[in-house]
Amino acid sequence: DAGLNNLLVIYAPAKPSEYKDEALYELYPRDDYVDIMAWDRYGTTKYSQELKEDAHAIVPFADEHYKVPALAETGYYQGTMQNTYDADWWMDSFLKPIVENEYLSRIAYTITWTDYAEDCYWIPLEGDYTYDGFVRMSKSENVLFLDDSDWVNLPYANQIQKARKKEGWSRRLDAGNSGQHGAWRCSA
């Protein structure tokens, strides 16, 4: 109604393989309101299998409704610093299923939750147990980050990068500010 023509709407239910009827049929806002059909998933030891099951629900639905499939929000449950059992989680549990699975390989993008406090974050910091695995994953030919030249050199992305630098945007907010949105994700 406002005349916008550059707004994309993402519909992203959590755990759609567990709540398929509600997520895809009862709560779906209708095709004329949705551009990207995505989902949210956090997990630990069963993460890869849960991702595959979610993609099996979402990607065919996206196809039927002519929507772009994506993984809108994801990561290691309660933050990457909680993972002390699988140093290669980013390669084995995250990237490998996305690259190898017939449904997951079709998603357009994935986003982790933000790093916003010293004790709660989703992208590992140098010295963290999963840091080396994350670095290996980041160097895969299947991975492209917001700051990568293949993305930044596109005309639209270049404008976004200039705005980020001009405004001083950062992926990590003031450390210790656990009162910010999403702080509940770090508590048991």
Side-chain angles (χ1 to χ4, degrees):
D1 291 344
L4 290 174
N5 62 7
N6 61 348
L7 177 69
L8 294 175
V9 175
I10 301 168
Y11 175 66
K15 305 174 185 175
S17 59
E18 295 175 38
Y19 306 103
K20 188 174 181 176
D21 287 340
E22 295 90 345
L24 301 182
Y25 303 104
E26 294 173 24
L27 299 174
Y28 182 68
R30 295 194 344 246
D31 288 345
D32 46 337
Y33 293 105
V34 175
D35 299 295
I36 299 171
M37 185 65 207
W39 77 97
D40 294 3
R41 172 61 75 175
Y42 290 87
T44 56
T45 57
K46 296 179 182 176
Y47 178 81
S48 293
Q49 186 57 38
E50 293 164 342
L51 269 187
K52 292 173 190 174
E53 292 167 3
D54 290 344
H56 191 78
I58 293 291
V59 173
F61 186 88
D63 287 347
E64 291 170 25
H65 295 263
Y66 303 99
K67 306 300 173 192
V68 174
L71 180 50
E73 190 179 304
T74 195
Y76 191 85
Y77 182 69
Q78 294 186 336
T80 193
M81 68 287 176
Q82 300 298 327
N83 181 349
T84 58
Y85 78 94
D86 184 1
D88 288 323
W89 187 86
W90 287 100
M91 285 296 293
D92 297 340
S93 296
F94 179 75
L95 184 59
K96 187 175 180 181
I98 291 173
V99 171
E100 294 177 356
N101 181 271
E102 65 180 312
Y103 293 106
L104 279 168
S105 65
R106 298 207 22 244
I107 62 174
Y109 66 87
T110 183
I111 299 175
T112 64
W113 193 246
T114 189
D115 286 359
Y116 57 79
E118 288 180 4
D119 59 349
C120 186
Y121 48 89
W122 275 262
I123 301 298
L125 304 176
E126 191 170 4
D128 286 347
Y129 188 69
T130 60
Y131 179 77
D132 290 341
F134 181 83
V135 170
R136 280 193 300 284
M137 183 267 309
S138 74
K139 294 179 187 240
S140 167
E141 65 183 24
N142 298 297
V143 175
L144 185 66
F145 285 96
L146 189 60
D147 293 333
D148 289 347
S149 61
D150 286 343
W151 165 254
V152 172
N153 292 333
L154 295 172
Y156 176 73
N158 195 329
Q159 292 172 354
I160 292 171
Q161 293 301 334
K162 286 179 183 175
R164 285 178 73 219
K165 289 178 175 123
K166 178 181 175 190
E167 300 298 323
W169 296 348
S170 172
R171 290 189 337 197
R172 187 166 187 133
L173 303 176
D174 293 339
N177 191 354
S178 60
Q180 292 182 3
H181 176 70
W184 59 271
R185 296 182 185 283
C186 299
S187 44

